């Protein structure tokens, strides 16, 4: 059995009288890619912050592997608009050496932006910068909140493939939130459907048949996912443009039958 990086047992998070997460149990092992899906207000961000230790559980048990190193990619990068900040400076705020920062930027495909202003980056560039900032820590557990936020459909596919590659290279665990259900089904090992509590969980191929999934997302979504196929025949750059031909891993052509 692979190493358990984080484990939640019957975790509840409550803000005053509002129940946000209700008796959730989950385990993230090294090598896992677990994706949390669910409607707005389902408690997804609160749950991953609890995994990270950024949010205290009201009840239940949270345990993490000793010495666990985490990398967190938040949903939004909020910066003071009048504060000048280059990509170089943003990366150095991690406290890591410049060489490590440059290597992380290169791995996520944005090393050419080292001297660019963070304020002027596109959605795809910003997400890859945030991923590089998490990557420079060499995390055991990579946690991503809507990593493809603000990225077009082809750029999303490339970003999810990069996350899979990083999982393999770092031999880390990955837990992420996503609304991109079709891409999630191709990019993840396990899906957890959350609506305060765990409605259902399992392998992507099975989850779309679960009555709780159908109740949450509707028959139309469930039926389209049930017949979804994922093929690799070209590559995208971080802007979503096709840059290579057939036979390359890390790219995709999406077919709905």
């Amino acid at each position: 059995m692979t190493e358990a990086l984080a484990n939640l047992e019957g975790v509840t998070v409550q803000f005053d009288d509002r129940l946000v997460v209700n008796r959730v149990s989950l385990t993230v092992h090294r090598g896992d890619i677990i994706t949390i899906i669910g409607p707005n207000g389902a408690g997804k961000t609160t749950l991953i912050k609890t995994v990270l230790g950024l949010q205290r559980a009201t009840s239940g048990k949270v345990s993490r592997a000793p010495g666990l190193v985490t990398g967190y990619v938040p949903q939004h990068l909020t910066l003071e608009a009048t504060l000048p900040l280059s990509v170089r400076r943003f990366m150095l705020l991690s406290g890591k050496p410049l060489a490590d920062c440059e290597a992380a930027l290169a791995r996520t495909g944005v090393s050419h932006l080292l001297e660019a202003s963070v304020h002027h980056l596109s959605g795809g560039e910003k997400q890859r910068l945030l991923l590089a900032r998490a990557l420079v820590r060499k995390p055991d557990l990579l946690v991503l909140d809507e990593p493809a936020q603000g990225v077009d459909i082809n750029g999303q596919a490339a970003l999810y493939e990069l996350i899979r590659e990083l999982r393999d290279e770092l031999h880390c665990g990955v837990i992420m939130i996503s609304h991109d259900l079709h891409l999630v089904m191709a990019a993840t090992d396990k899906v957890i459907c959350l609506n305060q509590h765990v409605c259902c969980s399992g392998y992507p191929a099975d989850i779309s048949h679960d009555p709780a999934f159908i109740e949450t997302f509707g028959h139309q979504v469930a039926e389209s996912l049930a017949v979804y196929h994922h093929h690799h025949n070209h590559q995208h750059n971080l802007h979503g443009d096709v840059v290579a031909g057939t036979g390359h891993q890390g790219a995709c052509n999406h077919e709905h039958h």
Side-chain angles (χ1 to χ4, degrees):
M1 188 70 177
T2 54
E3 179 187 4
L5 300 174
N7 185 60
L8 274 58
E9 297 178 30
V11 164
T12 293
V13 180
Q14 191 165 339
F15 299 142
D16 296 324
D17 60 349
R18 185 165 65 95
L19 192 62
V20 181
V21 173
N22 184 17
R23 298 189 57 78
V24 170
S25 298
L26 70 87
T27 303
V28 188
H29 293 94
R30 193 175 293 278
D32 281 350
I33 298 182
I34 296 175
T35 302
I36 301 171
I37 62 175
N40 290 333
K44 302 184 295 295
T45 296
T46 299
L47 179 62
I48 64 169
K49 286 185 174 180
T50 306
V51 172
L52 287 164
L54 300 174
Q55 172 63 52
R56 182 185 294 273
T58 307
S59 62
K61 183 180 177 183
V62 181
S63 56
R64 302 174 194 87
L68 182 73
V69 177
T70 59
Y72 178 42
V73 178
Q75 186 173 354
H76 300 291
L77 175 60
T78 304
L79 298 169
E80 172 56 53
T82 59
L83 179 69
L85 185 65
S86 68
V87 167
R88 176 199 291 267
R89 179 63 183 152
F90 178 77
M91 289 296 293
L92 287 174
L93 289 172
S94 67
K96 300 297 183 182
L98 179 59
D100 291 355
C101 293
E102 289 178 336
L105 290 168
R107 185 62 193 89
T108 62
V110 288
S111 57
H112 61 291
L113 298 172
L114 187 65
E115 305 302 336
S117 167
V118 173
H119 299 291
H120 298 154
L121 301 182
S122 71
E125 290 166 344
K126 196 170 290 185
Q127 291 307 100
R128 285 175 179 256
L129 171 60
L130 289 171
L131 186 54
R133 176 77 181 276
L135 179 62
V136 78
R137 294 174 54 82
K138 297 181 172 55
D140 302 301
L141 177 62
L142 184 59
V143 180
L144 310 105
D145 190 349
E146 293 282 0
Q149 183 87 8
V151 184
D152 69 25
I153 185 70
N154 290 329
Q156 288 173 15
L159 193 61
Y160 283 121
E161 186 60 34
L162 174 59
I163 291 166
R164 287 191 70 88
E165 291 172 5
L166 293 173
R167 183 275 310 265
D168 295 340
E169 292 168 17
L170 296 170
H171 191 46
C172 64
V174 176
I175 184 167
M176 61 181 169
I177 294 170
S178 180
H179 284 112
D180 311 303
L181 294 182
H182 288 100
L183 289 172
V184 161
M185 294 304 176
T188 193
D189 301 320
K190 183 179 180 181
V191 177
I192 294 174
C193 180
L194 187 74
N195 196 356
Q196 278 79 54
H197 65 286
V198 175
C199 302
C200 55
S201 64
Y203 295 108
D206 301 329
I207 200 82
S208 58
H209 301 290
D210 192 292
F213 181 93
I214 295 168
E215 183 179 348
T216 302
F217 292 100
H219 284 279
Q220 189 172 357
V221 170
E223 287 169 4
S224 71
L225 291 176
V227 295
Y228 180 73
H229 298 281
H230 192 79
H231 300 283
H232 296 271
N233 71 351
H234 58 267
Q235 288 183 315
H236 304 286
N237 63 19
L238 68 142
H239 303 291
D241 303 319
V242 176
V243 295
T246 60
H248 291 269
Q249 186 181 8
C252 49
N253 175 35
H254 311 287
E255 295 186 1
H256 301 263
H257 300 288

